[in-house]
Amino acid sequence: MSKVLVLNASYEPLNLTSWRRAIVLLLKGKAEQLEDAGRIVYADFPMPSVIRLRQYVRVPYTEIALTRKNLLHRDGHTCQYCTHSSETLTLDHVIPRSRGGQDTWENLVVACNRCNVKKGNRTPREAEMPLLRQPHRPHSSLFYEVSRHTKGGSHQEWRKYVIGA
């Protein structure tokens, strides 16, 4: 059963739906297809992977908690300095706490022990250790579900709409 990412008219992620429901929305003209899964559903109709609603739907805002688990998900369990992946990753403040750095989505990244010690009490620029990606707040509560679907290598096209990677 293939899932389809549904975006609001403003391109913000809303939810995941079944491919059948997505096709109904496309056929009724309520949505447009942005990405396809590379397979044909019927005749020459491609299987949708990402659709965007034509009308804006108001959704109440929900904030994702700033936790170690969520930071690991956001950064893909990968050191943001050297791309090392392990179970013993640490959290690093981009601007060190001793210099006024806060515990925020935009100032915390996942780092391996080696890189965290090497960077020490410096900024990435001072340590000459550029970040792989700028840290950011995840865009949506779909963060977990999309992370789970993209982890195995499928649905990588979703990442640019949800995770901001």
Side-chain angles (χ1 to χ4, degrees):
M1 298 294 164
S2 188
K3 292 286 187 183
V4 177
L5 177 63
V6 180
L7 304 176
N8 212 337
S10 62
Y11 288 88
E12 72 178 306
L14 287 178
N15 67 349
L16 296 179
T17 191
S18 70
W19 65 269
R20 286 185 174 145
R21 175 72 179 136
I23 289 175
V24 168
L25 290 170
L26 292 169
L27 292 174
K28 286 186 170 184
K30 294 185 178 196
E32 65 176 324
Q33 184 169 319
L34 299 178
E35 308 269 350
D36 67 67
R39 298 190 314 256
I40 303 300
V41 177
Y42 179 75
D44 61 349
F45 200 87
M47 168 86 75
S49 178
V50 179
I51 63 172
R52 183 179 76 92
L53 298 178
R54 294 187 189 276
Q55 294 269 103
Y56 182 80
V57 176
R58 186 163 154 61
V59 181
Y61 177 72
T62 56
E63 190 169 308
I64 299 171
L66 178 63
T67 63
R68 176 183 170 77
K69 180 180 175 184
N70 289 347
L71 285 162
L72 286 164
H73 272 294
R74 181 198 66 187
D75 292 347
H77 296 271
T78 303
C79 174
Q80 294 302 290
Y81 298 108
C82 72
T83 72
H84 178 73
S85 184
S86 78
E87 294 299 316
T88 59
L89 294 170
T90 63
L91 299 183
D92 178 55
H93 288 80
V94 177
I95 299 171
R97 289 191 340 197
S98 64
R99 296 187 182 187
Q102 301 292 312
D103 291 341
T104 63
W105 283 103
E106 296 78 14
N107 193 46
L108 286 167
V109 294
V110 173
C112 66
N113 286 328
R114 187 172 154 261
C115 287
N116 206 343
V117 169
K118 181 181 173 186
K119 179 180 166 282
N121 194 25
R122 300 177 291 176
T123 65
R125 177 175 281 173
E126 292 168 348
E128 296 181 3
M129 297 172 66
L131 289 165
L132 296 177
R133 288 187 305 229
Q134 277 304 113
H136 65 280
R137 177 184 300 275
H139 299 344
S140 165
S141 59
L142 288 175
F143 177 60
Y144 295 115
E145 198 163 354
V146 169
S147 177
R148 187 171 50 87
H149 280 278
T150 59
K151 197 169 211 158
S154 63
H155 297 297
Q156 290 301 309
E157 67 277 8
W158 291 2
R159 293 182 67 83
K160 64 184 169 192
Y161 297 104
V162 177
I163 301 175

